[in-house]
Amino acid sequence: ASLSALALCLSGAAFAVDDHKHGHEHKPLHGGVVVEANDIDFELVATADSIALFVRDHGKAASTQGATAKVTLLNGTEKTEATLAPAGDNKLEAKGAFKVGSGTKAVASVTLAGRKPVNVRFAIK
């Protein structure tokens, strides 16, 4: 419960909410972690060789054309940054070598074309 309280206190920070109704669900479609921010669902799929961010607007794929994103991975005191580029209809992706595991935290700064930047926080389970 203290993590939820902390998330609520962080201004502009998104957090996962399980019990609300907008007519769409926040279930992962690609095996990742889903967080909603500014009515947009962001699904982070992080592996040892790629980081992908899938974007949905009210349950429908949102275009990532012209979008920019940077993801910061936090493993204890170790910090790794990756710049993601559009890689399909609603996908942003970076390839490389990434340290990802249970307990890894990720912060994504995403700017979709014509929208204000959004900061999204993820906790990888």
Side-chain angles (χ1 to χ4, degrees):
S2 63
L3 182 60
S4 296
L6 176 63
L8 286 170
C9 293
L10 297 171
S11 65
F15 58 96
V17 176
D18 294 324
D19 192 29
H20 66 279
K21 307 281 183 259
H22 298 306
H24 65 279
E25 297 194 32
H26 302 285
K27 292 188 176 165
L29 300 181
H30 306 279
V33 179
V34 178
V35 173
E36 180 187 21
N38 294 7
D39 292 327
I40 305 284
D41 285 347
F42 296 91
E43 181 178 354
L44 179 72
V45 180
T47 64
D49 60 0
S50 74
I51 296 175
L53 197 59
F54 295 89
V55 186
R56 295 191 307 268
D57 187 353
H58 293 90
K60 295 183 175 71
S63 173
T64 55
Q65 185 174 353
T68 60
K70 184 181 356 183
V71 172
T72 303
L73 297 174
L74 304 166
N75 287 292
T77 59
E78 191 177 331
K79 185 167 113 173
T80 308
E81 292 186 344
T83 301
L84 281 62
D89 292 341
N90 69 322
K91 180 180 179 184
L92 295 154
E93 186 175 43
K95 298 276 189 186
F98 305 104
K99 185 176 175 185
V100 180
S102 181
T104 299
K105 304 244 184 296
V107 179
S109 177
V110 184
T111 305
L112 297 174
R115 295 185 183 237
K116 290 181 180 175
V118 179
N119 288 317
V120 192
R121 298 174 189 279
F122 299 91
I124 298 172
K125 295 175 184 170

mmCIF file of all heavy atoms in Angstrom, residues 42-89:
data_model
loop_
_atom_site.group_PDB
_atom_site.id
_atom_site.type_symbol
_atom_site.label_atom_id
_atom_site.label_comp_id
_atom_site.label_asym_id
_atom_site.label_seq_id
_atom_site.Cartn_x
_atom_site.Cartn_y
_atom_site.Cartn_z
ATOM 1 N N PHE A 42 0.587 2.080 -21.894
ATOM 2 C CA PHE A 42 1.948 1.804 -22.328
ATOM 3 C C PHE A 42 2.308 0.419 -21.806
ATOM 4 O O PHE A 42 2.194 0.170 -20.611
ATOM 5 C CB PHE A 42 2.926 2.837 -21.767
ATOM 6 C CG PHE A 42 2.673 4.233 -22.258
ATOM 7 C CD1 PHE A 42 1.841 5.096 -21.561
ATOM 8 C CD2 PHE A 42 3.261 4.679 -23.438
ATOM 9 C CE1 PHE A 42 1.604 6.379 -22.020
ATOM 10 C CE2 PHE A 42 3.031 5.969 -23.898
ATOM 11 C CZ PHE A 42 2.200 6.823 -23.196
ATOM 12 N N GLU A 43 2.740 -0.478 -22.713
ATOM 13 C CA GLU A 43 3.161 -1.808 -22.305
ATOM 14 C C GLU A 43 4.653 -1.950 -22.567
ATOM 15 O O GLU A 43 5.104 -1.866 -23.708
ATOM 16 C CB GLU A 43 2.402 -2.894 -23.070
ATOM 17 C CG GLU A 43 2.817 -4.290 -22.642
ATOM 18 C CD GLU A 43 2.049 -5.405 -23.342
ATOM 19 O OE1 GLU A 43 1.101 -5.116 -24.087
ATOM 20 O OE2 GLU A 43 2.428 -6.570 -23.136
ATOM 21 N N LEU A 44 5.403 -2.158 -21.492
ATOM 22 C CA LEU A 44 6.844 -2.315 -21.587
ATOM 23 C C LEU A 44 7.188 -3.799 -21.646
ATOM 24 O O LEU A 44 6.772 -4.568 -20.786
ATOM 25 C CB LEU A 44 7.530 -1.684 -20.370
ATOM 26 C CG LEU A 44 9.050 -1.801 -20.341
ATOM 27 C CD1 LEU A 44 9.683 -0.879 -21.374
ATOM 28 C CD2 LEU A 44 9.581 -1.460 -18.951
ATOM 29 N N VAL A 45 7.939 -4.181 -22.694
ATOM 30 C CA VAL A 45 8.444 -5.547 -22.829
ATOM 31 C C VAL A 45 9.961 -5.429 -22.873
ATOM 32 O O VAL A 45 10.524 -4.967 -23.863
ATOM 33 C CB VAL A 45 7.899 -6.232 -24.101
ATOM 34 C CG1 VAL A 45 8.449 -7.642 -24.217
ATOM 35 C CG2 VAL A 45 6.375 -6.242 -24.107
ATOM 36 N N ALA A 46 10.615 -5.809 -21.783
ATOM 37 C CA ALA A 46 12.068 -5.662 -21.673
ATOM 38 C C ALA A 46 12.718 -7.035 -21.585
ATOM 39 O O ALA A 46 12.331 -7.861 -20.760
ATOM 40 C CB ALA A 46 12.415 -4.827 -20.445
ATOM 41 N N THR A 47 13.698 -7.273 -22.468
ATOM 42 C CA THR A 47 14.460 -8.511 -22.455
ATOM 43 C C THR A 47 15.947 -8.157 -22.455
ATOM 44 O O THR A 47 16.302 -6.981 -22.534
ATOM 45 C CB THR A 47 14.136 -9.384 -23.692
ATOM 46 O OG1 THR A 47 14.553 -8.699 -24.874
ATOM 47 C CG2 THR A 47 12.644 -9.702 -23.775
ATOM 48 N N ALA A 48 16.795 -9.166 -22.417
ATOM 49 C CA ALA A 48 18.234 -8.936 -22.376
ATOM 50 C C ALA A 48 18.750 -8.260 -23.643
ATOM 51 O O ALA A 48 19.776 -7.596 -23.613
ATOM 52 C CB ALA A 48 18.970 -10.244 -22.145
ATOM 53 N N ASP A 49 18.024 -8.398 -24.783
ATOM 54 C CA ASP A 49 18.528 -7.818 -26.035
ATOM 55 C C ASP A 49 17.612 -6.779 -26.675
ATOM 56 O O ASP A 49 17.931 -6.238 -27.734
ATOM 57 C CB ASP A 49 18.863 -8.922 -27.046
ATOM 58 C CG ASP A 49 17.666 -9.787 -27.415
ATOM 59 O OD1 ASP A 49 16.555 -9.549 -26.892
ATOM 60 O OD2 ASP A 49 17.832 -10.703 -28.223
ATOM 61 N N SER A 50 16.480 -6.479 -26.058
ATOM 62 C CA SER A 50 15.623 -5.414 -26.612
ATOM 63 C C SER A 50 14.676 -4.860 -25.558
ATOM 64 O O SER A 50 14.333 -5.528 -24.591
ATOM 65 C CB SER A 50 14.820 -5.923 -27.814
ATOM 66 O OG SER A 50 13.768 -6.759 -27.388
ATOM 67 N N ILE A 51 14.296 -3.611 -25.795
ATOM 68 C CA ILE A 51 13.274 -2.963 -24.976
ATOM 69 C C ILE A 51 12.227 -2.465 -25.957
ATOM 70 O O ILE A 51 12.544 -1.747 -26.913
ATOM 71 C CB ILE A 51 13.839 -1.778 -24.182
ATOM 72 C CG1 ILE A 51 14.882 -2.271 -23.186
ATOM 73 C CG2 ILE A 51 12.715 -1.034 -23.468
ATOM 74 C CD1 ILE A 51 15.581 -1.161 -22.448
ATOM 75 N N ALA A 52 10.989 -2.884 -25.746
ATOM 76 C CA ALA A 52 9.901 -2.451 -26.621
ATOM 77 C C ALA A 52 8.816 -1.810 -25.776
ATOM 78 O O ALA A 52 8.558 -2.208 -24.639
ATOM 79 C CB ALA A 52 9.334 -3.634 -27.400
ATOM 80 N N LEU A 53 8.195 -0.786 -26.344
ATOM 81 C CA LEU A 53 7.096 -0.097 -25.700
ATOM 82 C C LEU A 53 5.939 -0.078 -26.692
ATOM 83 O O LEU A 53 6.071 0.443 -27.804
ATOM 84 C CB LEU A 53 7.529 1.334 -25.342
ATOM 85 C CG LEU A 53 6.708 2.100 -24.323
ATOM 86 C CD1 LEU A 53 6.648 1.376 -22.986
ATOM 87 C CD2 LEU A 53 7.295 3.485 -24.126
ATOM 88 N N PHE A 54 4.834 -0.706 -26.307
ATOM 89 C CA PHE A 54 3.641 -0.737 -27.148
ATOM 90 C C PHE A 54 2.654 0.293 -26.610
ATOM 91 O O PHE A 54 2.475 0.411 -25.402
ATOM 92 C CB PHE A 54 3.012 -2.135 -27.134
ATOM 93 C CG PHE A 54 3.888 -3.183 -27.757
ATOM 94 C CD1 PHE A 54 4.814 -3.877 -26.993
ATOM 95 C CD2 PHE A 54 3.805 -3.469 -29.109
ATOM 96 C CE1 PHE A 54 5.634 -4.843 -27.556
ATOM 97 C CE2 PHE A 54 4.614 -4.437 -29.690
ATOM 98 C CZ PHE A 54 5.531 -5.125 -28.912
ATOM 99 N N VAL A 55 2.001 1.027 -27.513
ATOM 100 C CA VAL A 55 1.138 2.142 -27.122
ATOM 101 C C VAL A 55 -0.285 1.885 -27.606
ATOM 102 O O VAL A 55 -0.512 1.589 -28.784
ATOM 103 C CB VAL A 55 1.667 3.463 -27.731
ATOM 104 C CG1 VAL A 55 0.858 4.644 -27.217
ATOM 105 C CG2 VAL A 55 3.147 3.654 -27.410
ATOM 106 N N ARG A 56 -1.248 2.008 -26.656
ATOM 107 C CA ARG A 56 -2.665 1.856 -27.005
ATOM 108 C C ARG A 56 -3.441 3.043 -26.445
ATOM 109 O O ARG A 56 -3.217 3.471 -25.315
ATOM 110 C CB ARG A 56 -3.234 0.556 -26.426
ATOM 111 C CG ARG A 56 -2.612 -0.695 -27.004
ATOM 112 C CD ARG A 56 -3.353 -1.965 -26.619
ATOM 113 N NE ARG A 56 -3.572 -2.172 -25.208
ATOM 114 C CZ ARG A 56 -2.766 -2.844 -24.393
ATOM 115 N NH1 ARG A 56 -1.636 -3.347 -24.844
ATOM 116 N NH2 ARG A 56 -3.071 -3.006 -23.134
ATOM 117 N N ASP A 57 -4.350 3.551 -27.251
ATOM 118 C CA ASP A 57 -5.223 4.660 -26.860
ATOM 119 C C ASP A 57 -6.640 4.107 -26.756
ATOM 120 O O ASP A 57 -7.225 3.719 -27.763
ATOM 121 C CB ASP A 57 -5.142 5.770 -27.912
ATOM 122 C CG ASP A 57 -5.891 7.031 -27.488
ATOM 123 O OD1 ASP A 57 -6.577 7.013 -26.449
ATOM 124 O OD2 ASP A 57 -5.779 8.035 -28.210
ATOM 125 N N HIS A 58 -7.159 4.023 -25.524
ATOM 126 C CA HIS A 58 -8.491 3.472 -25.275
ATOM 127 C C HIS A 58 -8.659 2.092 -25.908
ATOM 128 O O HIS A 58 -9.652 1.805 -26.562
ATOM 129 C CB HIS A 58 -9.583 4.435 -25.754
ATOM 130 C CG HIS A 58 -9.619 5.699 -24.953
ATOM 131 N ND1 HIS A 58 -8.878 6.802 -25.292
ATOM 132 C CD2 HIS A 58 -10.265 6.015 -23.813
ATOM 133 C CE1 HIS A 58 -9.085 7.753 -24.401
ATOM 134 N NE2 HIS A 58 -9.912 7.300 -23.492
ATOM 135 N N GLY A 59 -7.619 1.260 -25.740
ATOM 136 C CA GLY A 59 -7.690 -0.111 -26.204
ATOM 137 C C GLY A 59 -7.303 -0.336 -27.655
ATOM 138 O O GLY A 59 -7.177 -1.466 -28.099
ATOM 139 N N LYS A 60 -7.110 0.733 -28.418
ATOM 140 C CA LYS A 60 -6.748 0.603 -29.829
ATOM 141 C C LYS A 60 -5.285 1.008 -30.018
ATOM 142 O O LYS A 60 -4.796 1.900 -29.343
ATOM 143 C CB LYS A 60 -7.636 1.502 -30.690
ATOM 144 C CG LYS A 60 -9.105 1.100 -30.660
ATOM 145 C CD LYS A 60 -9.913 1.981 -31.599
ATOM 146 C CE LYS A 60 -11.342 1.541 -31.702
ATOM 147 N NZ LYS A 60 -12.150 1.785 -30.531
ATOM 148 N N ALA A 61 -4.626 0.361 -30.967
ATOM 149 C CA ALA A 61 -3.226 0.680 -31.262
ATOM 150 C C ALA A 61 -3.091 2.165 -31.589
ATOM 151 O O ALA A 61 -3.860 2.707 -32.374
ATOM 152 C CB ALA A 61 -2.728 -0.167 -32.433
ATOM 153 N N ALA A 62 -2.132 2.821 -30.943
ATOM 154 C CA ALA A 62 -1.878 4.251 -31.184
ATOM 155 C C ALA A 62 -0.621 4.371 -32.049
ATOM 156 O O ALA A 62 0.364 3.676 -31.819
ATOM 157 C CB ALA A 62 -1.685 4.987 -29.860
ATOM 158 N N SER A 63 -0.659 5.235 -33.028
ATOM 159 C CA SER A 63 0.475 5.398 -33.936
ATOM 160 C C SER A 63 1.704 5.910 -33.199
ATOM 161 O O SER A 63 1.623 6.826 -32.389
ATOM 162 C CB SER A 63 0.119 6.373 -35.056
ATOM 163 O OG SER A 63 1.265 6.644 -35.843
ATOM 164 N N THR A 64 2.855 5.297 -33.518
ATOM 165 C CA THR A 64 4.116 5.777 -32.956
ATOM 166 C C THR A 64 4.926 6.515 -34.024
ATOM 167 O O THR A 64 6.080 6.867 -33.780
ATOM 168 C CB THR A 64 4.945 4.618 -32.383
ATOM 169 O OG1 THR A 64 5.138 3.633 -33.399
ATOM 170 C CG2 THR A 64 4.266 3.996 -31.172
ATOM 171 N N GLN A 65 4.320 6.756 -35.167
ATOM 172 C CA GLN A 65 5.018 7.505 -36.225
ATOM 173 C C GLN A 65 5.322 8.905 -35.694
ATOM 174 O O GLN A 65 4.462 9.594 -35.179
ATOM 175 C CB GLN A 65 4.140 7.585 -37.474
ATOM 176 C CG GLN A 65 4.841 8.247 -38.646
ATOM 177 C CD GLN A 65 3.992 8.183 -39.923
ATOM 178 O OE1 GLN A 65 2.961 7.555 -39.963
ATOM 179 N NE2 GLN A 65 4.458 8.864 -40.942
ATOM 180 N N GLY A 66 6.571 9.318 -35.795
ATOM 181 C CA GLY A 66 6.976 10.633 -35.311
ATOM 182 C C GLY A 66 7.164 10.703 -33.798
ATOM 183 O O GLY A 66 7.428 11.768 -33.248
ATOM 184 N N ALA A 67 7.032 9.566 -33.120
ATOM 185 C CA ALA A 67 7.170 9.547 -31.661
ATOM 186 C C ALA A 67 8.638 9.402 -31.261
ATOM 187 O O ALA A 67 9.460 8.894 -32.028
ATOM 188 C CB ALA A 67 6.367 8.392 -31.072
ATOM 189 N N THR A 68 8.957 9.860 -30.050
ATOM 190 C CA THR A 68 10.282 9.667 -29.476
ATOM 191 C C THR A 68 10.113 9.110 -28.067
ATOM 192 O O THR A 68 9.115 9.397 -27.402
ATOM 193 C CB THR A 68 11.094 10.974 -29.413
ATOM 194 O OG1 THR A 68 10.386 11.915 -28.597
ATOM 195 C CG2 THR A 68 11.318 11.561 -30.788
ATOM 196 N N ALA A 69 11.096 8.338 -27.630
ATOM 197 C CA ALA A 69 11.032 7.792 -26.270
ATOM 198 C C ALA A 69 12.424 7.460 -25.774
ATOM 199 O O ALA A 69 13.301 7.075 -26.547
ATOM 200 C CB ALA A 69 10.157 6.538 -26.247
ATOM 201 N N LYS A 70 12.600 7.628 -24.475
ATOM 202 C CA LYS A 70 13.824 7.221 -23.810
ATOM 203 C C LYS A 70 13.414 6.431 -22.576
ATOM 204 O O LYS A 70 12.515 6.848 -21.843
ATOM 205 C CB LYS A 70 14.669 8.417 -23.401
ATOM 206 C CG LYS A 70 15.988 7.944 -22.806
ATOM 207 C CD LYS A 70 17.006 8.907 -22.286
ATOM 208 C CE LYS A 70 16.913 10.332 -22.365
ATOM 209 N NZ LYS A 70 18.026 11.083 -21.859
ATOM 210 N N VAL A 71 14.052 5.289 -22.368
ATOM 211 C CA VAL A 71 13.774 4.466 -21.197
ATOM 212 C C VAL A 71 15.032 4.397 -20.345
ATOM 213 O O VAL A 71 16.129 4.170 -20.855
ATOM 214 C CB VAL A 71 13.322 3.036 -21.599
ATOM 215 C CG1 VAL A 71 13.233 2.133 -20.383
ATOM 216 C CG2 VAL A 71 11.989 3.077 -22.320
ATOM 217 N N THR A 72 14.860 4.608 -19.047
ATOM 218 C CA THR A 72 15.951 4.460 -18.090
ATOM 219 C C THR A 72 15.646 3.232 -17.241
ATOM 220 O O THR A 72 14.580 3.156 -16.626
ATOM 221 C CB THR A 72 16.071 5.708 -17.198
ATOM 222 O OG1 THR A 72 16.267 6.848 -18.032
ATOM 223 C CG2 THR A 72 17.238 5.582 -16.233
ATOM 224 N N LEU A 73 16.560 2.260 -17.258
ATOM 225 C CA LEU A 73 16.432 1.062 -16.432
ATOM 226 C C LEU A 73 17.226 1.261 -15.155
ATOM 227 O O LEU A 73 18.366 1.723 -15.198
ATOM 228 C CB LEU A 73 16.970 -0.168 -17.167
ATOM 229 C CG LEU A 73 16.256 -0.574 -18.448
ATOM 230 C CD1 LEU A 73 17.000 -1.723 -19.119
ATOM 231 C CD2 LEU A 73 14.825 -0.963 -18.170
ATOM 232 N N LEU A 74 16.610 0.926 -14.029
ATOM 233 C CA LEU A 74 17.260 1.069 -12.729
ATOM 234 C C LEU A 74 17.341 -0.288 -12.053
ATOM 235 O O LEU A 74 16.317 -0.929 -11.810
ATOM 236 C CB LEU A 74 16.472 2.046 -11.853
ATOM 237 C CG LEU A 74 16.247 3.436 -12.458
ATOM 238 C CD1 LEU A 74 15.183 4.195 -11.693
ATOM 239 C CD2 LEU A 74 17.542 4.209 -12.470
ATOM 240 N N ASN A 75 18.567 -0.735 -11.796
ATOM 241 C CA ASN A 75 18.832 -1.971 -11.054
ATOM 242 C C ASN A 75 19.669 -1.580 -9.849
ATOM 243 O O ASN A 75 20.886 -1.443 -9.970
ATOM 244 C CB ASN A 75 19.597 -2.971 -11.935
ATOM 245 C CG ASN A 75 18.731 -3.575 -13.004
ATOM 246 O OD1 ASN A 75 17.823 -4.334 -12.708
ATOM 247 N ND2 ASN A 75 18.999 -3.249 -14.254
ATOM 248 N N GLY A 76 19.018 -1.354 -8.720
ATOM 249 C CA GLY A 76 19.741 -0.862 -7.551
ATOM 250 C C GLY A 76 20.335 0.497 -7.874
ATOM 251 O O GLY A 76 19.615 1.420 -8.248
ATOM 252 N N THR A 77 21.659 0.642 -7.783
ATOM 253 C CA THR A 77 22.303 1.921 -8.095
ATOM 254 C C THR A 77 22.741 1.989 -9.557
ATOM 255 O O THR A 77 23.226 3.016 -10.011
ATOM 256 C CB THR A 77 23.538 2.138 -7.194
ATOM 257 O OG1 THR A 77 24.451 1.063 -7.405
ATOM 258 C CG2 THR A 77 23.145 2.217 -5.733
ATOM 259 N N GLU A 78 22.577 0.895 -10.296
ATOM 260 C CA GLU A 78 22.986 0.846 -11.698
ATOM 261 C C GLU A 78 21.880 1.419 -12.594
ATOM 262 O O GLU A 78 20.714 1.056 -12.473
ATOM 263 C CB GLU A 78 23.262 -0.607 -12.086
ATOM 264 C CG GLU A 78 23.946 -0.775 -13.408
ATOM 265 C CD GLU A 78 24.256 -2.252 -13.693
ATOM 266 O OE1 GLU A 78 24.445 -3.015 -12.730
ATOM 267 O OE2 GLU A 78 24.287 -2.604 -14.870
ATOM 268 N N LYS A 79 22.286 2.325 -13.491
ATOM 269 C CA LYS A 79 21.332 3.000 -14.365
ATOM 270 C C LYS A 79 21.758 2.813 -15.822
ATOM 271 O O LYS A 79 22.919 3.021 -16.165
ATOM 272 C CB LYS A 79 21.312 4.484 -14.002
ATOM 273 C CG LYS A 79 20.305 5.322 -14.729
ATOM 274 C CD LYS A 79 20.185 6.674 -14.047
ATOM 275 C CE LYS A 79 20.701 7.769 -14.933
ATOM 276 N NZ LYS A 79 20.463 9.095 -14.424
ATOM 277 N N THR A 80 20.814 2.401 -16.676
ATOM 278 C CA THR A 80 21.072 2.224 -18.102
ATOM 279 C C THR A 80 19.997 2.980 -18.876
ATOM 280 O O THR A 80 18.819 2.876 -18.539
ATOM 281 C CB THR A 80 20.997 0.728 -18.497
ATOM 282 O OG1 THR A 80 21.827 -0.026 -17.635
ATOM 283 C CG2 THR A 80 21.418 0.510 -19.935
ATOM 284 N N GLU A 81 20.415 3.731 -19.904
ATOM 285 C CA GLU A 81 19.441 4.469 -20.709
ATOM 286 C C GLU A 81 19.417 3.921 -22.122
ATOM 287 O O GLU A 81 20.441 3.481 -22.657
ATOM 288 C CB GLU A 81 19.785 5.957 -20.743
ATOM 289 C CG GLU A 81 19.606 6.627 -19.399
ATOM 290 C CD GLU A 81 19.796 8.127 -19.454
ATOM 291 O OE1 GLU A 81 20.349 8.633 -20.448
ATOM 292 O OE2 GLU A 81 19.376 8.788 -18.502
ATOM 293 N N ALA A 82 18.237 3.944 -22.727
ATOM 294 C CA ALA A 82 18.077 3.493 -24.111
ATOM 295 C C ALA A 82 17.119 4.432 -24.819
ATOM 296 O O ALA A 82 16.088 4.823 -24.265
ATOM 297 C CB ALA A 82 17.531 2.067 -24.140
ATOM 298 N N THR A 83 17.466 4.807 -26.050
ATOM 299 C CA THR A 83 16.583 5.622 -26.877
ATOM 300 C C THR A 83 15.791 4.684 -27.775
ATOM 301 O O THR A 83 16.380 3.853 -28.480
ATOM 302 C CB THR A 83 17.389 6.622 -27.720
ATOM 303 O OG1 THR A 83 18.132 7.457 -26.825
ATOM 304 C CG2 THR A 83 16.486 7.480 -28.574
ATOM 305 N N LEU A 84 14.474 4.797 -27.736
ATOM 306 C CA LEU A 84 13.609 3.939 -28.520
ATOM 307 C C LEU A 84 13.171 4.671 -29.785
ATOM 308 O O LEU A 84 12.936 5.875 -29.754
ATOM 309 C CB LEU A 84 12.368 3.535 -27.720
ATOM 310 C CG LEU A 84 12.549 2.409 -26.695
ATOM 311 C CD1 LEU A 84 13.532 2.786 -25.611
ATOM 312 C CD2 LEU A 84 11.222 2.049 -26.079
ATOM 313 N N ALA A 85 13.051 3.921 -30.862
ATOM 314 C CA ALA A 85 12.618 4.484 -32.146
ATOM 315 C C ALA A 85 11.374 3.738 -32.608
ATOM 316 O O ALA A 85 11.165 2.574 -32.246
ATOM 317 C CB ALA A 85 13.733 4.333 -33.179
ATOM 318 N N PRO A 86 10.515 4.400 -33.411
ATOM 319 C CA PRO A 86 9.331 3.721 -33.947
ATOM 320 C C PRO A 86 9.740 2.430 -34.671
ATOM 321 O O PRO A 86 10.718 2.412 -35.420
ATOM 322 C CB PRO A 86 8.735 4.734 -34.918
ATOM 323 C CG PRO A 86 9.179 6.062 -34.370
ATOM 324 C CD PRO A 86 10.567 5.805 -33.830
ATOM 325 N N ALA A 87 8.995 1.347 -34.407
ATOM 326 C CA ALA A 87 9.318 0.037 -34.987
ATOM 327 C C ALA A 87 8.033 -0.713 -35.316
ATOM 328 O O ALA A 87 7.835 -1.850 -34.917
ATOM 329 C CB ALA A 87 10.174 -0.762 -34.017
ATOM 330 N N GLY A 88 7.111 -0.054 -35.993
ATOM 331 C CA GLY A 88 5.833 -0.689 -36.315
ATOM 332 C C GLY A 88 4.696 0.232 -35.935
ATOM 333 O O GLY A 88 4.914 1.339 -35.454
ATOM 334 N N ASP A 89 3.482 -0.243 -36.137
ATOM 335 C CA ASP A 89 2.290 0.588 -35.945
ATOM 336 C C ASP A 89 2.242 1.279 -34.587
ATOM 337 O O ASP A 89 2.120 2.485 -34.508
ATOM 338 C CB ASP A 89 1.022 -0.246 -36.130
ATOM 339 C CG ASP A 89 0.838 -0.700 -37.564
ATOM 340 O OD1 ASP A 89 1.443 -0.099 -38.461
ATOM 341 O OD2 ASP A 89 0.098 -1.671 -37.769
#
